[in-house]
Amino acid sequence: MYQTQDKAAAVLALDASGLRVDADARLDEPAGLPGRPARPELVHPSALKNRAVGTLEGRASLIHALAHIEANAIHLALDILWRFAGMPEAFYRDWWQVAQEEARHFELLETHLRTLGHAYGDFPAHDGLWDMAARTRTDLLARLALVPRTLEARGLDVTPAIRNKLVSVGDQAGAKILDVILRDEIGHVAIGNRWYHTLCAQRGLDPVKTYTELARQHAAPVAKGPFNLSARRAAGFNEAELSALAAEPLATT
């Protein structure tokens, strides 16, 4: 039976550096969710239990939730690769790099989860990341605006606090994994920013106004502070974009 572990391993094993990119190839959309195993059970976010991270079960639940985010991130990077034709070759090379790094993150977290007596699929999870991917499946500009620049950028804000929480309960191994993830995710959001701004420039669109319109059109979640401004700047957000964040007064440096 298919396992997410298999997909992560297959992505990491493929050296695409010598493969030819056919940027004009158009593929038919597969039915249903892409390559999803029976577990974890997908539920509404309100149905997820809050577990104290100070307990072994609570810490495993947290690591599982992070692993699920990375599993979704593999799907998202692969989806943008095949779904949107006609972009420069560098676009596809960028997102393949993202897919491989997300696969590595998943493997690191899943391996750590096993040291806590659990495996990926043992806890229920929600599918908010993929839901936004489905909403933006026909519009590359919206996909770039609302997945890497919104949902994944949120990880830049919350990861340091989660890391500190793991340190507070003595999970140094988990904290080191989050250091790797934060470093790489800055690069992933930067890729989203770069291609979003490239498309806006090509279409003569104002990036800030266009983002607001796309967020409203696709019912994107409203960004809430505090924000990790240093990480967001490193990921390519400019000062006009940072000033437009809804809770900017709560931002951190």
Side-chain angles (χ1 to χ4, degrees):
M1 183 175 65
Y2 165 83
Q3 298 290 336
T4 301
Q5 293 89 332
D6 299 331
K7 174 175 279 189
V11 169
L12 287 169
L14 177 60
D15 179 5
S17 60
L19 298 180
R20 185 177 69 87
V21 174
D22 184 354
D24 294 322
R26 296 184 182 275
L27 306 178
D28 293 331
E29 183 170 359
L33 295 174
R36 299 303 178 93
R39 301 172 72 238
E41 176 190 6
L42 299 179
V43 300
H44 190 274
S46 63
L48 296 175
K49 296 180 181 178
N50 289 321
R51 296 178 172 91
V53 73
T55 67
L56 184 61
E57 190 81 355
R59 188 149 45 98
S61 177
L62 173 60
I63 298 300
H64 185 278
L66 296 174
H68 183 66
I69 290 171
E70 299 301 329
N72 268 292
I74 300 171
H75 296 144
L76 290 166
L78 295 177
D79 184 84
I80 203 171
L81 271 168
W82 74 261
R83 185 177 294 276
F84 300 102
M87 293 293 289
E89 180 174 334
F91 175 88
Y92 304 101
R93 299 287 183 197
D94 279 348
W95 291 108
W96 178 248
Q97 175 189 329
V98 171
Q100 289 200 304
E101 290 177 354
E102 304 290 19
R104 174 59 64 196
H105 298 167
F106 174 82
E107 285 198 343
L108 289 170
L109 289 165
E110 212 271 337
T111 298
H112 187 49
L113 183 61
R114 289 184 180 274
T115 71
L116 304 177
H118 288 276
Y120 181 62
D122 284 358
F123 298 91
H126 72 82
D127 230 19
L129 269 173
W130 186 255
D131 178 61
M132 182 56 72
R135 292 188 220 173
T136 59
R137 66 187 181 276
T138 63
D139 185 347
L140 176 57
L141 189 64
R143 172 68 65 86
L144 293 169
L146 303 179
V147 176
R149 300 183 75 251
T150 299
L151 299 183
E152 294 185 76
R154 184 60 182 151
L156 306 183
D157 302 326
V158 302
T159 296
I162 297 173
R163 178 199 182 280
N164 292 340
K165 186 178 293 186
L166 290 175
V167 170
S168 74
V169 295
D171 191 347
Q172 298 293 340
K176 289 181 180 178
I177 293 171
L178 289 192
D179 287 338
V180 172
I181 291 175
L182 179 59
R183 179 200 67 204
D184 290 347
E185 291 299 335
I186 289 173
H188 299 173
V189 176
I191 288 171
N193 266 321
R194 182 165 66 252
W195 288 109
Y196 173 76
H197 281 276
T198 296
L199 288 184
C200 283
Q202 289 175 352
R203 301 178 187 183
L205 300 173
D206 177 84
V208 176
K209 291 181 179 178
T210 300
Y211 175 82
T212 300
E213 293 167 1
L214 290 170
R216 184 184 303 111
Q217 178 183 345
H218 295 281
V222 176
K224 296 180 180 180
F227 299 109
N228 186 344
L229 293 184
S230 60
R232 283 178 174 262
R233 287 188 179 101
F237 285 97
N238 61 41
E239 296 307 311
E241 291 168 326
L242 295 178
S243 296
L245 290 173
E248 214 274 339
L250 295 177
T252 58
T253 56

